[in-house]
Coordinates of all heavy atoms in Angstrom, one line a residue:
I4 N -12.8 0.5 1.2 CA -11.5 0.7 1.8 C -11.1 2.2 1.5 O -11.5 2.7 0.4 CB -10.4 -0.3 1.4 CG1 -10.2 -0.2 -0.2 CG2 -10.7 -1.7 1.8 CD1 -9.0 -1.0 -0.6
H5 N -10.2 2.7 2.3 CA -9.7 4.1 2.1 C -8.2 4.0 1.8 O -7.5 3.3 2.6 CB -10.0 5.0 3.3 CG -11.5 5.1 3.5 ND1 -12.3 6.0 2.8 CD2 -12.3 4.4 4.3 CE1 -13.5 5.8 3.2 NE2 -13.6 4.9 4.1
L6 N -7.7 4.5 0.8 CA -6.3 4.5 0.4 C -5.7 5.9 0.5 O -6.4 6.9 0.2 CB -6.2 4.0 -1.0 CG -6.8 2.6 -1.3 CD1 -6.8 2.3 -2.8 CD2 -6.2 1.5 -0.5
D7 N -4.5 5.9 0.9 CA -3.8 7.2 0.9 C -3.4 7.6 -0.5 O -3.5 6.8 -1.4 CB -2.6 7.2 1.8 CG -1.5 6.3 1.4 OD1 -1.3 6.0 0.2 OD2 -0.7 5.8 2.3
E8 N -3.1 8.9 -0.7 CA -2.8 9.4 -2.0 C -1.7 8.7 -2.7 O -1.8 8.4 -3.9 CB -2.5 10.9 -1.9 CG -2.4 11.6 -3.2 CD -2.1 13.1 -3.0 OE1 -2.7 13.7 -2.1 OE2 -1.4 13.7 -3.8
E9 N -0.7 8.3 -2.0 CA 0.5 7.6 -2.6 C 0.0 6.3 -3.2 O 0.4 5.9 -4.3 CB 1.6 7.4 -1.6 CG 2.8 6.7 -2.2 CD 3.9 6.4 -1.2 OE1 3.8 7.0 -0.1 OE2 4.8 5.6 -1.5
T10 N -0.8 5.5 -2.5 CA -1.3 4.2 -3.0 C -2.1 4.4 -4.2 O -2.0 3.6 -5.2 CB -2.1 3.5 -1.8 OG1 -1.3 3.4 -0.7 CG2 -2.6 2.2 -2.3
V11 N -3.0 5.4 -4.2 CA -3.8 5.7 -5.4 C -3.0 6.0 -6.6 O -3.2 5.5 -7.7 CB -4.8 6.8 -5.1 CG1 -5.6 7.2 -6.4 CG2 -5.8 6.4 -4.0
E12 N -1.9 6.8 -6.4 CA -1.0 7.1 -7.5 C -0.3 5.9 -8.0 O -0.1 5.7 -9.2 CB 0.1 8.1 -7.0 CG -0.5 9.5 -6.8 CD 0.5 10.5 -6.1 OE1 1.6 10.1 -5.9 OE2 0.1 11.6 -5.9
R13 N 0.1 5.0 -7.1 CA 0.7 3.7 -7.6 C -0.3 2.9 -8.3 O 0.1 2.3 -9.3 CB 1.3 3.0 -6.3 CG 2.4 3.7 -5.7 CD 2.9 3.0 -4.4 NE 3.5 1.8 -4.7 CZ 3.9 0.9 -3.8 NH1 3.8 1.2 -2.5 NH2 4.5 -0.2 -4.1
L14 N -1.5 2.8 -7.9 CA -2.5 2.1 -8.6 C -2.8 2.7 -10.0 O -2.9 2.0 -11.0 CB -3.8 2.0 -7.8 CG -3.8 1.0 -6.6 CD1 -5.1 1.2 -5.8 CD2 -3.6 -0.4 -7.1
D15 N -2.8 4.0 -10.0 CA -3.0 4.7 -11.3 C -1.9 4.4 -12.3 O -2.2 4.3 -13.5 CB -3.1 6.2 -11.1 CG -4.4 6.7 -10.5 OD1 -5.4 5.9 -10.7 OD2 -4.5 7.8 -10.0
A16 N -0.7 4.2 -11.8 CA 0.4 3.9 -12.7 C 0.3 2.5 -13.3 O 0.8 2.2 -14.3 CB 1.7 4.0 -11.9
L17 N -0.5 1.6 -12.6 CA -0.6 0.3 -13.1 C -1.9 0.1 -14.0 O -2.0 -0.9 -14.7 CB -0.8 -0.7 -11.9 CG 0.3 -0.8 -10.9 CD1 -0.1 -1.7 -9.7 CD2 1.5 -1.5 -11.6
R18 N -2.7 1.1 -14.0 CA -4.0 1.0 -14.8 C -3.7 1.0 -16.3 O -2.8 1.7 -16.8 CB -4.9 2.2 -14.5 CG -5.5 2.1 -13.1 CD -6.3 3.3 -12.8 NE -7.6 3.2 -13.4 CZ -8.5 4.2 -13.4 NH1 -8.2 5.3 -12.8 NH2 -9.6 4.0 -14.1
M19 N -4.4 0.1 -17.0 CA -4.2 0.1 -18.4 C -5.6 0.2 -19.1 O -6.6 -0.5 -18.6 CB -3.6 -1.3 -18.8 CG -2.2 -1.5 -18.3 SD -1.6 -3.2 -18.5 CE -1.7 -3.3 -20.3
D20 N -5.7 1.1 -20.1 CA -7.0 1.2 -20.8 C -8.2 1.4 -19.9 O -9.2 0.8 -20.0 CB -7.2 0.0 -21.7 CG -6.1 -0.2 -22.7 OD1 -5.5 0.8 -23.2 OD2 -5.8 -1.4 -23.0
D21 N -8.1 2.4 -19.0 CA -9.2 2.8 -18.1 C -9.7 1.6 -17.2 O -10.9 1.4 -16.9 CB -10.4 3.4 -18.9 CG -10.0 4.7 -19.5 OD1 -9.2 5.4 -18.9 OD2 -10.5 4.9 -20.6
E22 N -8.8 0.7 -16.9 CA -9.1 -0.5 -16.0 C -9.6 0.0 -14.7 O -9.1 1.0 -14.2 CB -7.8 -1.2 -15.9 CG -7.9 -2.6 -15.2 CD -6.6 -3.3 -15.2 OE1 -5.5 -2.6 -15.1 OE2 -6.6 -4.5 -15.2
E23 N -10.6 -0.7 -14.2 CA -11.2 -0.3 -12.9 C -10.2 -0.7 -11.7 O -9.4 -1.7 -11.9 CB -12.5 -1.0 -12.7 CG -13.6 -0.6 -13.7 CD -14.0 0.9 -13.5 OE1 -14.0 1.3 -12.3 OE2 -14.3 1.5 -14.5
Y24 N -10.3 0.0 -10.6 CA -9.5 -0.3 -9.5 C -9.7 -1.8 -9.0 O -8.7 -2.4 -8.6 CB -9.7 0.6 -8.3 CG -9.1 2.0 -8.6 CD1 -9.9 3.1 -8.7 CD2 -7.7 2.2 -8.8 CE1 -9.4 4.4 -8.9 CE2 -7.2 3.5 -9.0 CZ -8.0 4.5 -9.1 OH -7.5 5.8 -9.3
D25 N -10.9 -2.2 -9.0 CA -11.2 -3.6 -8.5 C -10.5 -4.6 -9.4 O -10.1 -5.7 -8.9 CB -12.7 -3.8 -8.3 CG -13.5 -3.7 -9.6 OD1 -13.1 -3.0 -10.5 OD2 -14.6 -4.3 -9.6
E26 N -10.4 -4.3 -10.7 CA -9.7 -5.3 -11.6 C -8.2 -5.3 -11.2 O -7.6 -6.4 -11.2 CB -9.9 -4.9 -13.0 CG -11.3 -5.0 -13.5 CD -11.5 -4.4 -14.9 OE1 -11.1 -3.2 -15.1 OE2 -12.1 -5.1 -15.7
I27 N -7.6 -4.2 -11.0 CA -6.2 -4.1 -10.6 C -6.0 -4.8 -9.3 O -5.1 -5.7 -9.2 CB -5.7 -2.7 -10.5 CG1 -5.8 -1.9 -11.8 CG2 -4.3 -2.6 -10.0 CD1 -5.6 -0.5 -11.8
V28 N -6.8 -4.6 -8.3 CA -6.6 -5.2 -7.0 C -6.8 -6.7 -7.1 O -6.0 -7.5 -6.5 CB -7.6 -4.6 -6.0 CG1 -7.6 -5.3 -4.7 CG2 -7.2 -3.1 -5.7
S29 N -7.8 -7.2 -7.9 CA -8.0 -8.6 -8.1 C -6.8 -9.2 -8.7 O -6.3 -10.3 -8.3 CB -9.2 -8.9 -8.9 OG -10.4 -8.5 -8.2
E30 N -6.2 -8.6 -9.7 CA -5.0 -9.1 -10.4 C -3.8 -9.2 -9.4 O -3.1 -10.1 -9.4 CB -4.7 -8.2 -11.6 CG -3.6 -8.8 -12.4 CD -3.4 -8.0 -13.7 OE1 -4.2 -7.2 -14.1 OE2 -2.3 -8.1 -14.3
L31 N -3.7 -8.1 -8.6 CA -2.6 -8.1 -7.6 C -2.7 -9.2 -6.6 O -1.8 -9.9 -6.2 CB -2.5 -6.7 -7.0 CG -2.0 -5.6 -7.8 CD1 -2.2 -4.3 -7.1 CD2 -0.6 -5.8 -8.3
I32 N -4.0 -9.4 -6.2 CA -4.2 -10.5 -5.2 C -3.9 -11.9 -5.9 O -3.3 -12.7 -5.2 CB -5.7 -10.5 -4.7 CG1 -5.9 -9.3 -3.8 CG2 -6.0 -11.8 -4.0 CD1 -7.3 -9.0 -3.5
N33 N -4.3 -12.1 -7.1 CA -4.0 -13.3 -7.8 C -2.5 -13.5 -7.9 O -2.0 -14.7 -7.7 CB -4.6 -13.3 -9.2 CG -6.1 -13.5 -9.2 OD1 -6.7 -13.9 -8.2 ND2 -6.8 -13.0 -10.2
I34 N -1.8 -12.5 -8.2 CA -0.3 -12.6 -8.3 C 0.3 -13.0 -7.0 O 1.1 -13.8 -6.9 CB 0.3 -11.3 -8.9 CG1 -0.1 -11.1 -10.3 CG2 1.8 -11.3 -8.7 CD1 0.2 -9.7 -10.9
Y35 N -0.2 -12.3 -5.9 CA 0.3 -12.6 -4.6 C 0.0 -14.0 -4.2 O 0.9 -14.7 -3.7 CB -0.4 -11.6 -3.6 CG -0.1 -11.9 -2.1 CD1 1.1 -11.5 -1.6 CD2 -0.9 -12.6 -1.4 CE1 1.4 -11.8 -0.3 CE2 -0.7 -12.9 0.0 CZ 0.5 -12.5 0.5 OH 0.8 -12.8 1.8
E36 N -1.2 -14.5 -4.4 CA -1.6 -15.9 -4.1 C -0.7 -16.9 -4.9 O -0.3 -17.9 -4.3 CB -3.0 -16.1 -4.3 CG -3.9 -15.4 -3.3 CD -5.4 -15.5 -3.5 OE1 -5.8 -15.8 -4.7 OE2 -6.2 -15.3 -2.6
A37 N -0.5 -16.6 -6.2 CA 0.3 -17.5 -7.0 C 1.8 -17.5 -6.5 O 2.4 -18.6 -6.4 CB 0.3 -17.0 -8.4
E38 N 2.3 -16.4 -6.1 CA 3.7 -16.4 -5.6 C 3.8 -17.1 -4.2 O 4.7 -17.8 -3.9 CB 4.2 -15.0 -5.4 CG 4.5 -14.3 -6.8 CD 5.1 -12.9 -6.7 OE1 5.3 -12.4 -5.5 OE2 5.2 -12.3 -7.7
E39 N 2.7 -16.9 -3.4 CA 2.7 -17.5 -2.1 C 2.6 -19.0 -2.3 O 3.3 -19.8 -1.6 CB 1.5 -17.0 -1.3 CG 1.4 -17.6 0.1 CD 0.2 -17.0 0.8 OE1 -0.9 -17.3 0.4 OE2 0.4 -16.3 1.8
L40 N 1.8 -19.5 -3.2 CA 1.7 -20.9 -3.5 C 3.0 -21.5 -4.0 O 3.4 -22.6 -3.6 CB 0.6 -21.2 -4.5 CG 0.2 -22.6 -4.8 CD1 -0.2 -23.3 -3.5 CD2 -0.9 -22.7 -5.9

Side-chain angles (χ1 to χ4, degrees):
I4 59 170
H5 299 278
L6 305 172
D7 63 29
E8 188 175 323
E9 180 183 346
T10 303
V11 173
E12 288 173 1
R13 291 174 70 185
L14 287 173
D15 284 340
L17 296 172
R18 291 175 76 186
M19 297 173 59
D20 301 323
D21 296 326
E22 187 175 30
E23 296 292 326
Y24 288 117
D25 61 336
E26 294 172 310
I27 296 169
V28 172
S29 292
E30 186 174 340
L31 292 172
I32 290 169
N33 290 337
I34 292 168
Y35 173 81
E36 288 175 341
E38 287 181 6
E39 183 179 67
L40 184 60

